[in-house]
Amino acid sequence: MALTRRMFLVAGGLVGAGLAVGWALLPGRDARAALAARARNGEVALTAWYRIAPDGTVTVAVPRSEMGQGILTGLAMLVAEELEADWAKVRVEQAPIDPVYVNATVLMDGLPYDDGYHAGERTAGTWLVGQVAAMLGVMATGGSTSVRDAWQPMREAGAMGRAMLQQAAAATWAVPVAETVAEQGRVRHPGSGRSLGYGELVAAASRLDPPATAPLKDPASYRLIGTAVPRLDIPAKVDGSARFGIDTHLPDMLFAAVRQAPQFGATLARFDAAAVQDRPGVVLVAEVPNGVAVVAGDTWTAQAAVDALPVDWQAGPHAGLTDARVLADLLDGLDRGEARSYREEGDPDGVLAAPGAAPVEAEYAVPYLAHACMEPMNTTARIADGQVEVWSPNQAPTLVKWLAQEIAGVDADAVTVHTPFLGGGFGRRAETDVVAQALTLATLTGGRPVKLTWSREEDMRHDMYRPAAVSRFRAVLDDAGRPRALVNRIAGPSVARAFIERSWPWMGMDLPDNTTADGAGDTPYDFGALRVEHVTRPSPVPVGFWRSVGHSYNAFFVESFVDELADRAGADPLAYRRLLLEGRPRHLAVLDLVAEKAGWGQPLPAGRARGLALHKSFGSIVGQVAEVSLAPGAGLRVHRVTCAVDCGQPVNPDSIAAQMEGGIAYGLSAALHGRITLADGAVVEGNFPDYPILQMAEMPAVEVHVVPSREPPGGVGEPGTPPIAPALANAVFALTGRRIRRLPLSPAELGIG
């Protein structure tokens, strides 16, 4: 089901009008059909989420991409817990593309609904958006939504299967269902001592009508959820048998390399294919979206040929673009741009303009950032005999399938998308630019599969970047140092709008983009009268979803300014935050825990200082304390980061800790080194020497403390990233008295350049 303009407008109209959208909009069928076609060797698809084999093996269909976040294990745990499966017999596989696996949460997070959804409530607005999401049927991994979206349906699927297996056993033994017990992959009848394995019961169970309801377990009886279960993907990644997209190898395969327009907005004028066509191993030279590619018998030959290919480019309207022009445009947005308000309480302008008011003001800026995935962009495609197969490390297989239908001119049933492991995603692999190029080449290779791999330079210079953004604060404090009013005005591009324009350019709709104000508009602090607004400045530099999106810069803006207010009030940063968080028990619990574990207020060795930051994103609250030193010649050193996280009900504490650590490392890379610079309309940086990432010697000791909770799960893949930059900047101020208002923390910003 390819997304059409009519379908989108119908869905959007229904949302806007507040009409009831039901399942009648979807084709009626048994949801188990999504897995039934994959059943083999006597397996039975008991629900859409798993199959059970005669030997009791349970194969869970995971509808999200594994890019290091441990989601294959986490989602399988949800099913296995409620199914009462024997974990030793649980296997996982990527789910097929099917509307039953839609990620509704990622859509609801991005739309302007403030009806309790983020507090875990089920309301009319969230139900409505969920139905529209189901109609569109997009499978996607992002926004730290995988567990949040699957928490209810995958547990319910497990509970339903458990009930059906118990019914089948009870019928076999002619006893009441209430007398049976399901545990560890078997149904037992304690009264008679009889038992049957799930594999012996599944065929009979599948013939039963699913129960109307299946009670979920009391969390106190969890065996798997909340325990540190070893990740299922780790053994293959250790022994080298794991296959990422770049590892795809097929019989008779060709290899391709690409060269893309060096300037934003430039187009291909001409290229001299004859200059490289006769090189040994070169098969063809062809134009592809945004560039030209060479197909050859191996990647090295293709890359060498495309590098040597004479190409002329037609400069576009952004040929003179520089960093200075980008910053000037953003600052102009702060001064004069038309803003959309994301939060308005009281009359902050009146308070700020009152006689005698002495506003506290600060202005912050962050640069464009690249994703810098370790696995460069790649896709393998084959078009033969009316069938299309795509092997692509992607975060949105539905979009890949729609694109394959369009380029190859085939029906949905003719397209198969394989999603291998992703060597990093961070939002970059929700894009389909490399997929379009590979499919275009596959139309020219006579049925032979072709694998396109971007060089690191192409990857770095043709990213969908984290936006550059600026923020201006004005606040007034009372005599006790407490805020009476605050205005936060942010300027930057809209990621959601840019993504929609790339994916569906015919839409042309001006929807509010919550990601631009995430972490600012939903601030938990009591600032008195408050307005948070965003000025959208379209960017000639393509922008996209980057790990934690708007939170990645709004956390830096807000948490840095809160520290400035604490300093102006003469208050300890911890005590000041506690003052502004009255009535926020979960925030306070995280704040107190991270301060305790970091030894806040305790003496440090000479030349060291601590900085604090607290931020909620994707349903999880994270507090971090960074401990730093600064020395001439040695630069800034981060010795230790203490992290506390309340992510609701923990599923796998080991994965939570790993994701906090990874998010901190990713955020530290950006805060210390990350900057994409522009000259003459092009990205300057081309490889890791130009765009360094955190080195092993720079990585601090990290301690992660998970707050016990029975609240619905929040995300963990992204929330570890936002607090680290402000914690670091606040530590620098505590050490040197120098405020960091621009990232990265270059020697000039630190005062040592």
Side-chain angles (χ1 to χ4, degrees):
M1 182 176 67
L3 177 62
T4 65
R5 178 176 175 82
R6 179 180 180 277
M7 184 183 299
F8 184 85
L9 291 174
V10 168
L14 290 168
V15 171
L19 300 179
V21 183
W23 287 101
L25 290 173
L26 294 174
R29 65 183 177 87
D30 188 341
R32 289 176 290 186
L35 277 190
R38 292 190 173 194
R40 55 190 180 276
N41 301 323
E43 288 180 318
V44 175
L46 199 54
T47 73
W49 302 96
Y50 54 90
R51 303 188 306 270
I52 300 179
D55 67 356
T57 298
V58 177
T59 301
V60 178
V62 177
R64 306 293 171 247
S65 302
E66 176 60 74
M67 46 190 168
Q69 80 278 44
I71 208 61
L72 290 181
T73 307
L75 296 193
M77 289 172 68
L78 303 184
V79 166
E81 181 67 73
E82 293 291 348
L83 182 62
E84 274 291 344
D86 179 354
W87 183 251
K89 290 189 173 182
V90 173
R91 307 290 182 265
V92 292
E93 67 179 21
Q94 287 294 139
I97 299 175
D98 192 279
V100 73
Y101 304 118
V102 63
N103 187 340
T105 304
V106 75
L107 175 61
M108 287 189 282
D109 273 3
L111 292 179
Y113 280 92
D114 186 18
D115 59 359
Y117 165 68
H118 291 279
E121 298 174 15
R122 291 187 170 187
T123 64
T126 62
W127 178 86
L128 180 62
V129 177
Q131 301 310 300
V132 173
M135 186 183 75
L136 299 180
V138 177
M139 290 171 62
T141 307
S144 290
T145 57
S146 293
V147 169
R148 289 192 289 147
D149 187 74
W151 176 246
Q152 199 70 19
M154 293 191 80
R155 287 188 305 137
E156 288 176 348
M160 186 172 294
R162 168 167 44 91
M164 294 166 72
L165 290 161
Q166 286 183 257
Q167 288 178 34
T172 300
W173 297 324
V175 301
V177 174
E179 292 184 6
T180 66
V181 176
E183 57 185 10
Q184 288 292 301
R186 301 188 70 82
V187 179
R188 307 182 190 279
H189 183 239
S192 64
R194 290 173 290 181
S195 74
L196 288 169
Y198 283 0
E200 300 170 277
L201 292 167
V202 67
S206 69
R207 292 190 287 270
L208 299 172
D209 290 331
T213 60
L216 297 172
K217 294 168 70 172
D218 186 314
S221 65
Y222 286 160
R223 294 185 304 105
L224 290 171
I225 293 176
T227 65
V229 174
R231 277 174 46 174
L232 300 174
D233 57 319
I234 294 300
K237 291 176 177 176
V238 171
D239 67 21
S241 61
R243 288 294 174 263
F244 295 80
I246 204 168
D247 297 319
T248 303
H249 194 86
L250 303 170
D252 202 29
M253 189 165 77
L254 295 169
F255 302 81
V258 69
R259 193 158 145 212
Q260 299 176 84
Q263 294 175 325
F264 299 117
T267 55
L268 181 65
R270 60 172 295 279
F271 61 93
D272 184 5
V276 299
Q277 187 71 66
D278 293 336
R279 289 189 172 207
V282 170
V283 175
L284 63 90
V285 184
E287 183 176 354
V288 295
N290 197 44
V292 60
V294 172
V295 178
D298 60 80
T299 298
W300 178 254
T301 298
Q303 187 64 59
V306 82
D307 288 345
L309 181 68
V311 181
D312 291 331
W313 304 97
Q314 177 64 48
H318 310 303
L321 188 67
T322 63
D323 295 325
R325 282 179 54 181
V326 168
L327 182 59
D329 181 65
L330 294 177
L331 294 176
D332 181 69
L334 291 182
D335 292 333
R336 303 186 301 159
E338 181 179 349
R340 186 190 299 274
S341 177
Y342 284 85
R343 178 93 169 263
E344 191 136 12
E345 297 172 1
D347 180 19
D349 292 329
V351 177
L352 286 163
V360 182
E361 300 181 343
E363 195 171 277
Y364 301 87
V366 295
Y368 292 106
L369 294 176
H371 292 82
C373 302
M374 286 295 97
E375 179 189 16
M377 298 299 106
N378 68 89
T379 290
T380 301
R382 175 170 56 200
I383 302 175
D385 302 322
Q387 299 293 309
V388 182
E389 275 191 280
V390 182
W391 293 260
S392 180
N394 72 87
Q395 293 178 239
T398 308
L399 302 189
V400 174
K401 185 169 185 172
W402 290 349
L403 187 62
Q405 289 177 242
E406 179 184 345
I407 291 177
V410 298
D411 293 333
D413 291 344
V415 178
T416 301
V417 177
H418 305 276
T419 302
F421 288 136
L422 282 60
F426 314 122
R428 178 62 178 94
R429 287 189 156 97
E431 305 285 347
T432 56
D433 46 349
V434 65
V435 180
Q437 293 174 344
L439 283 164
T440 299
L441 293 173
T443 65
L444 306 174
T445 56
R448 295 178 69 180
V450 57
K451 178 166 71 174
L452 170 62
T453 306
W454 285 13
S455 67
R456 178 58 64 188
E457 288 74 16
E458 291 296 328
D459 192 315
M460 192 72 72
R461 290 176 176 146
H462 296 90
D463 203 342
M464 308 300 175
Y465 302 92
R466 199 286 305 272
V470 295
S471 177
R472 178 180 294 157
F473 290 87
R474 301 181 71 232
V476 171
L477 306 182
D478 63 19
D479 292 341
R482 188 167 188 148
R484 294 180 54 225
L486 181 143
V487 173
N488 177 10
R489 186 174 173 90
I490 311 157
S494 165
V495 169
R497 186 180 302 177
F499 179 80
I500 289 172
E501 287 175 351
R502 282 194 297 273
S503 302
W504 305 287
W506 40 261
M507 285 186 184
M509 301 185 73
D510 183 20
L511 290 173
D513 176 8
N514 277 6
T515 63
T516 60
D518 271 342
D522 52 353
T523 178
Y525 294 116
D526 180 5
F527 288 124
L530 173 67
R531 186 171 67 253
V532 177
E533 57 191 12
H534 184 274
V535 178
T536 299
R537 287 292 195 177
S539 170
V541 178
V543 296
F545 299 105
W546 187 93
R547 192 172 190 169
S548 74
V549 203
H551 293 282
S552 69
Y553 49 83
N554 283 319
F556 171 65
F557 299 156
V558 173
E559 284 297 301
S560 295
F561 191 63
V562 168
D563 242 53
E564 296 209 34
L565 294 181
D567 181 58
R568 180 65 65 94
D572 172 79
L574 171 64
Y576 196 74
R577 284 174 171 81
R578 295 194 93 264
L579 179 70
L580 303 187
L581 290 169
E582 292 175 352
R584 301 276 186 170
R586 291 184 69 184
H587 288 80
L588 286 169
V590 172
L591 188 64
D592 290 344
L593 179 61
V594 75
E596 174 197 344
K597 297 299 184 181
W600 187 267
Q602 300 301 311
L604 280 170
R608 291 195 190 185
R610 298 185 184 99
L612 172 67
L614 180 77
H615 191 75
K616 182 177 181 180
S617 62
F618 309 100
S620 296
I621 306 166
V622 179
Q624 291 174 6
V625 173
E627 183 179 318
V628 307
S629 66
L630 182 64
L636 183 67
R637 172 89 183 271
V638 187
H639 298 273
R640 177 188 179 207
V641 175
T642 308
C643 174
V645 53
D646 178 350
C647 57
Q649 169 66 59
V651 175
N652 189 334
D654 185 61
S655 289
I656 294 170
Q659 285 304 291
M660 291 299 113
E661 293 163 354
I664 288 166
Y666 201 76
L668 275 176
S669 280
L672 294 174
H673 307 299
R675 179 193 283 133
I676 287 294
T677 56
L678 309 172
D680 298 325
V683 170
V684 173
E685 291 74 21
N687 211 316
F688 289 120
D690 309 320
Y691 190 86
I693 63 172
L694 199 70
Q695 302 294 302
M696 289 182 68
E698 296 178 284
M699 185 67 190
V702 177
E703 302 169 15
V704 178
H705 304 275
V706 180
V707 177
S709 176
R710 294 298 191 206
E711 296 290 331
V716 297
E718 296 171 274
T721 296
I724 189 59
L728 195 59
N730 293 338
V732 169
F733 174 76
L735 184 66
T736 67
R738 188 182 186 93
R739 280 292 174 197
I740 303 297
R741 292 177 176 159
R742 295 194 178 192
L743 294 178
L745 281 77
S746 64
E749 290 293 329
L750 294 168
I752 58 174

